[in-house]
């Protein structure tokens, strides 16, 4: 019998369940892996915006990481919202201490609603401390622009951004194209492994704004890596998963629609 893989998310809590820890754990469950969490911050958030943030202390973040790694084998780690300098430093130190593998870094900076989920003063620390630990880093267009100083308007710019971010130390860079309608028909992401570019394209879904797409994608990549897939396969399957989740996004509030993490499973079970 195959044992279930244990996958950890280190991220912020989204009270409305569409992004952050909640999206990650739902994604893990949909991938048949055992989800675990280290909470970095608690946000008061819904489909319309982020209204407050309480950061968790570095000491409590360290204790959560120790509690997991001292007891349970961790097959992959997804990192999301990391808020501030002290948070980043303790996460990096602990992941180095435990020699964590298959780290997927979603360098969350600003929510779709415009709230700063990372203190802008900590952007350089995130790049210096966490990028070199990542097997895959998944910036969206605005995040890739902050990390590189480039303005990104087309696929060539995405490739140049990927090259520059790769030079900062991660194993692979996935520049996500959700914010860039290079091709109005398709949403194209660019994966760079240091030598080759891979282009992941999906039909662009012209729907109301969605919420939690980046969290869902990065958590799916971590789950796939933890299950033993190589990076191109892990990213390709995660892209297919997030596309279905966006196509079937839920209308649960007055604002952006959260992705549907269980659409395929519910369909197969005849529940929808
Ligand atoms: N309207 C859309 N239709 C299809 N795929 C999309 C759409 N918007 C985003 N995506 C995909 O969702 C994933 C997350 O991308 P993005 O929304 O850019 O990240 P973030 O949530 O971090 O801002 C990417 O694979 C991107 O291509
Ligand atoms: C707690 C928390 N973490 C991350 C995000 C950002 O989610 P993401 O999927 O990158 O993008 P949007 O949902 O903002 O489009 C968040 N909102 N909350």
């Amino acid at each position: 019998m195959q044992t279930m893989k244990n996958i950890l998310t280190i991220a912020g809590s989204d009270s409305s369940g569409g992004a952050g820890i909640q999206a990650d754990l739902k994604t893990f469950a949909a991938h048949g892996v055992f989800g675990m969490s280290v909470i970095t911050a608690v946000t008061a958030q819904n489909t319309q915006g982020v209204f407050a943030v309480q950061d968790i202390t570095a000491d409590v973040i360290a204790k959560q990481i120790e509690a997991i790694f001292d007891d349970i084998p961790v097959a992959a780690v997804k990192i999301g919202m990391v808020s501030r300098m002290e948070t980043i430093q303790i996460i990096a130190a602990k992941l180095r201490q435990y020699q964590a593998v298959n780290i997927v870094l979603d360098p969350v900076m600003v929510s779709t609603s415009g709230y700063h989920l990372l203190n802008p003063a900590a952007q350089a620390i995130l790049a210096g401390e966490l990028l070199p630990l990542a097997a895959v880093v998944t910036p969206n267009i605005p995040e890739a622009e902050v990390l590189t100083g480039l303005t990104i308007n087309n696929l060539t710019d995405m490739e140049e951004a990927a090259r520059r971010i790769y030079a900062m130390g991660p194993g692979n860079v996935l520049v996500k194209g959700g914010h860039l309608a290079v091709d109005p028909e398709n949403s194209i992401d660019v994966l760079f492994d240091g030598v080759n570019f891979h282009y992941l394209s999906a039909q662009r879904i012209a729907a109301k704004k969605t919420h939690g797409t980046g969290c869902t994608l990065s958590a799916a990549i971590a789950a796939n890596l933890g299950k033993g897939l190589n990076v191109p396969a892990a990213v390709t399957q995660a892209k297919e998963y997030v596309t279905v989740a966006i196509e079937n996004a839920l209308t649960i509030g007055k604002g952006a629609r959260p992705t549907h993490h269980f659409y395929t499973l519910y369909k197969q079970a005849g529940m929808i």
Side-chain angles (χ1 to χ4, degrees):
M1 200 182 76
Q2 220 185 1
T3 53
M4 203 185 243
K5 297 296 182 185
N6 310 313
I7 316 293
L8 171 64
T9 171
I10 302 177
S13 163
D14 168 3
S15 48
S16 64
I21 288 282
Q22 289 81 356
D24 297 343
L25 292 177
K26 289 176 206 177
T27 302
F28 293 164
H31 282 76
V33 297
F34 184 76
M36 307 178 289
S37 63
V38 166
I39 298 184
T40 57
V42 174
T43 73
Q45 180 173 178
N46 61 24
T47 64
Q48 297 179 290
V50 178
F51 306 103
V53 173
Q54 175 66 63
D55 291 318
I56 303 300
T57 62
D59 185 47
V60 172
I61 292 170
K63 291 278 191 303
Q64 292 177 77
I65 296 175
E66 288 163 8
I68 292 165
F69 279 90
D70 284 344
D71 187 37
I72 303 166
V74 179
V77 181
K78 176 248 157 98
I79 305 174
M81 174 183 176
V82 288
S83 284
R84 57 184 181 160
M85 214 173 294
E86 304 89 306
T87 302
I88 293 165
Q89 281 164 335
I90 196 66
I91 292 169
K94 285 290 161 190
L95 292 181
R96 280 195 294 264
Q97 177 190 332
Y98 288 105
Q99 300 182 346
V101 295
N102 292 326
I103 298 172
V104 180
L105 172 64
D106 182 4
V108 173
M109 292 183 185
V110 181
S111 73
T112 303
S113 55
Y115 198 100
H116 280 270
L117 299 173
L118 174 70
N119 181 338
Q123 286 164 356
I125 297 281
L126 179 140
E129 293 274 332
L130 293 179
L131 276 177
L133 299 179
V136 186
V137 59
T138 65
N140 64 20
I141 297 289
E143 290 156 358
E145 290 182 330
V146 167
L147 290 169
T148 60
L150 293 170
T151 300
I152 301 174
N153 290 315
N154 52 44
L155 269 185
T156 310
D157 297 339
M158 288 171 79
E159 290 169 356
E160 181 55 22
R163 273 196 204 91
R164 292 198 192 184
I165 296 168
Y166 181 82
M168 298 174 194
N172 295 265
V173 182
L174 180 72
V175 179
K176 300 173 294 191
H179 295 249
L180 186 69
V182 174
D183 170 354
E185 298 293 313
N186 299 295
S187 186
I188 303 167
D189 304 342
V190 174
L191 176 65
F192 184 53
D193 61 11
V195 179
N196 295 307
F197 288 101
H198 306 262
Y199 303 90
L200 297 106
S201 180
Q203 192 176 5
R204 183 170 285 279
I205 299 140
K208 218 173 140 188
K209 257 193 342 200
T210 46
H211 173 54
T213 52
C215 299
T216 300
L217 179 72
S218 53
I221 297 171
N224 290 336
L225 289 178
K227 285 160 81 173
L229 270 63
N230 62 27
V231 169
V235 173
T236 302
Q237 290 189 22
K239 172 80 172 170
E240 287 162 8
Y241 172 75
V242 80
T243 302
V244 172
I246 295 170
E247 269 165 4
N248 297 286
L250 299 156
T251 306
I252 61 158
K254 303 186 189 91
R257 302 167 67 198
T259 54
H260 193 329
H261 297 97
F262 299 109
Y263 181 80
T264 304
L265 283 176
Y266 287 2
K267 195 83 183 157
Q268 283 165 354
M271 291 164 68
I272 48 176

